[in-house]
Amino acid sequence: AEILYQLHPAVVAQLITITQDDYAFTHDRVQEAAFALLTPDETRRIHLTTASVLAQAARHAAGNDLLFRAVHHVTAALESIEPAPQRQMFRELSLLAARRARFTGDYRSALTYLHTARALGHDAATPDFTLDTEEAECQLATGQLDKTRQLCEGLLISPGGLADKALAALLLAEVCMRQSDPHLALETALRWLGVF
């Protein structure tokens, strides 16, 4: 009730909107102006706090909106994320956001989330192999065949399980087909069938 009372003038001035569960700036420019008044350290701290709160809420939310917003704030706070467990938690959150964005067909956002996951550092529980596979699928979907080929060739020579290698081989064969080289696609498929 006290918060509602204090925010009443801002609501009347149409600077913010209040729903039953949400407070939001009416326009992004109002939020940008508010952030402009803060020091860079304060801004990063707010992004980090917001990312932590949204990450907790995203675990219980049905949709993807909170997850994507959380990772947006993680990206903005990258320099402030210190403890290794927190970096790992945000890395896993960013990977989850990338996968969900890819499933919805938003490959550009997925690539951005993967970039955030990489920036948070390498961990044995979420190896770069996983990030490379996700990126290869996104690059293929956006038509970046040379980048997809490069990633798949790297995946095929790096340590990893056979199921992961099979996906990389499949993607590489698909690249060959899209580049009108069915012989190389067949050769790739047969070579990896031989491995199995």
Side-chain angles (χ1 to χ4, degrees):
E2 184 180 336
I3 292 171
L4 286 173
Y5 177 77
Q6 289 181 354
L7 291 177
H8 183 71
V11 173
V12 171
Q14 297 181 343
L15 294 174
I16 63 169
T17 58
I18 300 176
T19 64
Q20 196 171 27
D21 301 320
D22 239 353
Y23 297 82
F25 287 108
T26 306
H27 301 286
D28 288 344
R29 290 181 189 229
V30 176
Q31 184 174 351
E32 290 168 11
F35 270 110
L37 298 173
L38 303 173
T39 67
D41 285 341
E42 290 172 323
T43 302
R44 283 191 294 272
R45 192 169 49 253
I46 287 173
H47 281 300
L48 183 57
T49 302
T50 305
S52 298
V53 170
L54 290 176
Q56 291 297 329
R59 289 193 176 97
H60 307 292
N64 294 328
D65 185 50
L66 285 178
L67 175 65
F68 296 154
R69 285 171 49 201
V71 177
H72 164 76
H73 287 284
V74 168
T75 303
L78 273 175
E79 296 173 19
S80 302
I81 304 171
E82 290 299 327
Q86 189 178 44
R87 291 183 76 81
Q88 176 58 24
M89 187 264 295
F90 284 142
R91 179 181 166 93
E92 290 169 6
L93 190 75
S94 299
L95 177 59
L96 178 61
R99 287 179 171 153
R100 291 206 184 155
R102 183 172 58 82
F103 290 145
T104 63
D106 187 357
Y107 302 109
R108 299 216 184 282
S109 293
L111 289 167
T112 301
Y113 300 145
L114 289 169
H115 178 74
T116 298
R118 282 186 203 286
L120 288 165
H122 180 71
D123 180 80
T126 313
D128 282 339
F129 197 99
T130 303
L131 299 178
D132 288 345
T133 303
E134 288 289 327
E135 183 178 348
E137 291 190 64
C138 290
Q139 295 288 3
L140 180 65
T142 59
Q144 301 298 315
L145 301 181
D146 290 336
K147 181 65 176 170
T148 307
R149 178 188 290 272
Q150 178 187 2
L151 285 164
C152 289
E153 288 172 350
L155 288 166
L156 291 172
I157 61 171
S158 66
L162 282 179
D164 296 324
K165 302 260 184 193
L167 178 57
L170 180 66
L171 291 172
L172 186 57
E174 178 67 26
V175 168
C176 296
M177 289 298 292
R178 290 188 186 190
Q179 291 179 328
S180 300
D181 195 345
H183 296 295
L184 186 55
L186 180 61
E187 198 175 289
T188 299
L190 290 173
R191 183 172 71 242
W192 282 94
L193 281 172
V195 170
F196 288 103

